[in-house]
Amino acid sequence: MRSRSLISLLFLLLFTSSAYARFVSLHPASTDLISNGVNAGPLDDSRSIIKTVVSAEEEACEQTYGFMPCTKTALGNVFLILVYGFLMFTAATYLSAGSELLLEILGPGIVGGLFLPMLGALPDAMLIMVSGLSGDAATAQTQVSVGMGLLAGSTVMLLTVIWGTCTVVGKCDLRDTIAVNNQDTKGFHLKDSGVTVDVWTSYAARIMAISVIPFVIVQLPQVLNSTSGRHLAVLIALILSVLMLISYCVYQVFQPWIQRRRLAFAKHKHVISGILRHLKQHALGRLLNDEGQPDEHVIRKLFETIDANKDGHLSAAELKALIIGISFEDIDFDKDDAVGKVLQDFDKTLDEQVDQEEFVRGIKRWLIQAMGAAGPSGPDAGPRTMKYLDHFHVQTKREHALLGDNESGENDEESGEVADPKWITIKAALLLLLGAAIAAAFADPLVDTVNNFSAATGIPSFFISFIALPLATNSSEAVSAIIFASRKKIRTASLTFSELCGGVTMNNILCLSVFLAIVYLRGLTWNFSSEVLVILIVCLVMGGLASFRTTYPLWTCFIAYLLYPFSLGLVYILDYWFGWS
């Protein structure tokens, strides 16, 4: 269906472009070629027609590539913006679909960390590139505001309108500050309803906030009222943004490995808390004495209870029997792997078994770790040992949940085997090539149309590109994020907001790198103070909100929504009231 729409649009464009070929019909042949001074002769009519044609040609717009349709009227440019915008949306959709297929075959790592983030930002990068490469330097200086409008508009739209909408459609009931999957009974309660994400989303938000540093550097000369260092500042910001792009890609490559390590550690902590609670329930006394220190006498009795064959050592089989007998509340983990980690903690002689002294020292370390986990605000030691261990257990369970375990019963999205890897790879490559070709072909006509519409209406091209172009280049990403958020699960919410933060990060480093390269190589002037200020405010506010919390109550959506009109108003006031540049 999408292919039919694309073909229809292409035919419509070709038909529209043919409308600009004019056939001039002169007066029929006549021997009376000279006017008598009273009645206009054929020659005078011909001159009048020629003057009209010349006048029309002088007012005609310049066609991109020499054949793409264009117009000087406002309504005509609105139509062309919609057509070209739809084509850019189609390009973004093809790139997204091809990326997902490629990721399905090759997995994360190099593909997920290096290529996919760049492909997602490709339509924006194409538009920014052509906005600064068209014509001479003076023309490029005028058109480059379209690229800056797109850069600022994409960032602001993702972090305001899309972020707020994802919070609303993904809200669940909050219980103990954590969203309950698939439970939405509180309606639009501002505090008791919201979304919860994993800690990796907080890391993504912090990276997004850090990615604005090149904007600060390129803006420093204007803040200091210096004109001599502006070109150097652009170069430094360009180098830094490229280095940050490389660093971000490397992080994305190794992030799955880091996540698996962190998740394994969290599961081990949960095993520790489960064993301690189990030992407390079966202890003939308290694990901690009145001074809050581990009671060795009680711990030795527990060792004798676990030592089934009474040989003075705990084997791997006896430790596994202990772990199997403990309920870990639907958290899946490899029992043999858990036994191996317990042996690593206890077995200091490396004889693959735990004697009584090793057991006592190991349990004491675990109890001290549990006491240190709660900090000064946690329950006191001593008579309330069980309450203390319960607090540690809840804490480890929460940490495990916020790390986003994909193996804990939430893998209902992807099931079944991959069909034909070779065919899927070919299909992914074709989708990527088609998406890139469409984006490259229609980016320049779209920029020209925005400038023509700006000339026809008197509306600055920045505001047109700020509002309209992100709707085309980010629509696919926005729809995907909203669909994921509507599934009302911690895992899908985490994917949603991580993708939003990742998209903004790529805008701030990849698209900005392209923009800075054009400004530096073509010797353009950096005069985007108000736009940079808007990007800084939105990124720091939303990045700060998401960096230090993993639950977003419903009231946070109002902050996101209000930042959008605030950004538009701020740019307008600073540019047209205070004359910022």
Side-chain angles (χ1 to χ4, degrees), residues 227-541:
T227 56
S228 58
R230 294 192 177 187
H231 203 56
L232 178 61
V234 170
L235 177 60
I236 295 173
L238 172 60
I239 295 173
L240 181 61
S241 61
V242 171
L243 292 176
M244 292 180 69
L245 174 62
I246 296 172
S247 301
Y248 180 69
C249 290
V250 171
Y251 168 76
Q252 289 290 85
V253 168
F254 289 100
Q255 194 264 355
W257 176 80
I258 299 172
Q259 185 174 3
R260 287 192 296 269
R261 291 290 301 272
R262 287 284 304 275
L263 187 59
F265 180 70
K267 287 183 176 182
H268 181 52
K269 285 181 64 177
H270 197 69
V271 170
I272 292 174
S273 69
I275 292 176
L276 289 177
R277 293 175 77 233
H278 179 80
L279 295 179
K280 171 57 187 174
Q281 291 171 350
H282 295 81
L284 301 176
R286 292 185 287 111
L287 289 177
L288 300 182
N289 56 29
D290 293 334
E291 287 76 27
Q293 298 299 317
D295 193 324
E296 290 191 16
H297 179 68
V298 174
I299 296 174
R300 292 181 188 278
K301 288 184 177 180
L302 285 170
F303 176 84
E304 295 172 357
T305 304
I306 301 171
D307 185 14
N309 57 10
K310 307 302 179 182
D311 63 349
H313 295 87
L314 297 181
S315 64
E318 289 171 322
L319 289 173
K320 185 174 182 179
L322 172 66
I323 292 174
I324 291 176
I326 301 173
S327 173
F328 287 95
E329 301 179 4
D330 299 328
I331 293 181
D332 297 328
F333 59 89
D334 188 334
K335 302 298 189 297
D336 293 326
D337 181 67
V339 171
K341 286 185 169 59
V342 172
L343 280 173
Q344 286 180 0
D345 280 357
F346 286 7
D347 181 21
K348 300 305 179 184
T349 59
L350 303 179
D351 58 356
E352 298 296 326
Q353 56 186 0
V354 179
D355 61 30
Q356 190 176 84
E357 292 302 323
E358 290 174 330
F359 181 81
V360 171
R361 287 195 297 267
I363 295 297
K364 287 173 68 175
R365 281 198 306 272
W366 281 3
L367 289 172
I368 293 172
Q369 179 182 352
M371 285 188 284
S377 60
D380 295 332
R384 292 189 293 273
T385 306
M386 195 65 198
K387 183 178 179 181
Y388 191 90
L389 293 179
D390 284 342
H391 182 272
F392 179 61
H393 180 74
V394 171
Q395 193 176 27
T396 56
K397 184 178 179 182
R398 174 186 172 88
E399 180 182 348
H400 176 271
L402 294 181
L403 280 172
D405 185 4
N406 295 340
E407 300 174 359
S408 308
E410 289 190 27
N411 280 338
D412 52 349
E413 282 84 20
E414 298 91 19
S415 59
E417 297 181 355
V418 178
D420 184 359
K422 183 178 180 180
W423 163 243
I424 292 181
T425 303
I426 295 174
K427 183 178 179 181
L430 291 176
L431 287 172
L432 292 174
L433 288 174
L434 182 58
I438 294 174
F442 294 101
D444 198 10
L446 180 55
V447 171
D448 290 340
T449 302
V450 169
N451 285 314
N452 291 336
F453 180 75
S454 175
T457 60
I459 301 175
S461 58
F462 169 83
F463 290 102
I464 302 170
S465 57
F466 185 95
I467 298 173
L469 295 190
L471 295 176
T473 58
N474 294 299
S475 292
S476 176
E477 185 177 4
V479 171
S480 175
I482 293 172
I483 291 174
F484 260 96
S486 65
R487 295 177 183 176
K488 298 183 181 296
K489 292 183 178 182
I490 293 177
R491 181 182 174 225
T492 53
S494 302
L495 291 173
T496 295
F497 290 98
S498 293
E499 286 297 319
L500 293 180
C501 292
V504 173
T505 301
M506 292 305 295
N507 281 342
N508 291 346
I509 51 181
L510 174 61
C511 295
L512 180 63
S513 297
V514 174
F515 195 90
L516 291 172
I518 291 172
V519 171
Y520 181 79
L521 295 175
R522 303 212 62 183
L524 305 180
T525 303
W526 180 272
N527 53 359
F528 304 105
S529 300
S530 56
E531 293 85 347
V532 169
L533 181 60
V534 164
I535 292 174
L536 289 178
I537 291 175
V538 174
C539 285
L540 293 179
V541 170

Side-chain angles (χ1 to χ4, degrees), residues 179-234:
V180 181
N181 287 342
N182 295 318
Q183 182 175 318
D184 185 15
T185 61
K186 302 292 181 65
F188 290 90
H189 197 284
L190 297 181
K191 292 184 178 180
D192 295 338
S193 181
V195 297
T196 296
V197 297
D198 57 27
V199 296
W200 303 103
T201 305
S202 298
Y203 299 155
R206 294 172 192 174
I207 293 173
M208 178 189 71
I210 294 173
S211 68
V212 301
I213 293 177
F215 284 103
V216 177
I217 292 177
V218 76
Q219 198 62 34
L220 279 178
Q222 289 182 286
V223 173
L224 301 175
N225 292 322
S226 172
T227 56
S228 58
R230 294 192 177 187
H231 203 56
L232 178 61
V234 170

Side-chain angles (χ1 to χ4, degrees), residues 65 81 84-89 91-92 121-134 140 143-151 154 436 438-451 464-466 468-474 511 514-515 518:
Y65 307 138
I81 287 175
Y84 291 138
F86 177 79
L87 289 168
M88 294 301 293
F89 164 74
L122 183 61
D124 287 358
M126 285 285 187
L127 285 169
I128 291 171
M129 184 181 299
V130 300
S131 70
L133 295 178
S134 302
Q143 292 192 350
V144 80
S145 61
V146 175
M148 175 52 72
L150 174 62
L151 180 59
S154 295
I438 294 174
F442 294 101
D444 198 10
L446 180 55
V447 171
D448 290 340
T449 302
V450 169
N451 285 314
I464 302 170
S465 57
F466 185 95
L469 295 190
L471 295 176
T473 58
N474 294 299
C511 295
V514 174
F515 195 90
I518 291 172

